[in-house]
């Protein structure tokens, strides 16, 4: 019984990821960038610790983008017409994704530059 529930939960989560991938261009771009970074990490044979930092930074950006998408969709349901408050919240979330992306870029620069 517990395995069936776990499988069902996993299926829902995977469906959510597929939905975000299908409908969000920025997420697809970030997945591509993450794959590129991981390819470079393997190609340049970075250390295990560096690889973990690169994976963590990439995952951080993807999680932020998923949260951003969920909040934007929720706001569109609650308040379909763009109000000033909704615009500010969406801008704040976009800013959070931007900060996460800059952080990931800085991590990649520190690791790949030398």
């Amino acid at each position: 019984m517990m395995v069936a529930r776990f499988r069902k939960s996993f299926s829902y989560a995977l469906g959510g990821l597929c939905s975000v991938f299908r409908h969000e261009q920025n997420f697809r771009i970030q997945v591509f960038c993450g794959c590129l970074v991981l390819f470079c990490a393997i190609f340049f044979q970075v250390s295990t610790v560096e690889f973990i930092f690169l994976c963590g930074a990439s995952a951080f950006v993807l999680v932020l983008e998923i949260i951003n998408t969920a909040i934007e969709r929720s706001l569109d349901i609650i308040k379909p017409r763009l109000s000033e408050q909704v615009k500010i919240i969406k801008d704040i979330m976009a800013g959070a994704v931007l900060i996460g992306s800059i952080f990931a870029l800085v991590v990649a620069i520190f690791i790949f530059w030398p």
Side-chain angles (χ1 to χ4, degrees):
M1 188 61 132
M2 197 174 335
V3 173
R5 272 193 289 174
F6 176 76
R7 192 175 298 154
K8 190 178 250 187
S9 295
F10 187 80
S11 172
Y12 292 147
L14 194 57
L17 288 174
C18 289
S19 176
V20 172
F21 188 84
R22 250 182 296 165
H23 299 291
E24 295 296 323
Q25 179 180 352
N26 287 343
F27 187 77
R28 289 191 301 271
I29 291 168
Q30 291 158 349
V31 166
F32 173 78
C33 291
C35 290
L36 183 64
V37 165
L38 296 181
F39 172 79
C40 289
I42 293 166
F43 181 78
F44 291 114
Q45 299 177 344
V46 301
S47 72
T48 302
V49 172
E50 291 171 331
F51 189 79
I52 290 169
F53 274 107
L54 290 169
C55 288
S58 296
F60 179 64
V61 172
L62 294 175
V63 168
L64 280 174
E65 186 60 44
I66 290 169
I67 293 169
N68 179 42
T69 299
I71 289 174
E72 283 188 354
R73 297 244 176 123
S74 298
L75 289 172
D76 290 342
I77 291 169
I78 295 168
K79 189 117 179 158
R81 291 197 159 156
L82 191 63
S83 70
E84 188 60 28
Q85 292 85 6
V86 169
K87 180 189 178 315
I88 291 169
I89 294 168
K90 288 183 175 187
D91 290 348
I92 290 169
M93 284 308 305
V97 175
L98 178 63
I99 289 171
S101 298
I102 291 170
F103 168 75
L105 179 63
V106 169
V107 168
I109 288 170
F110 272 100
I111 291 172
F112 290 123
W113 190 264

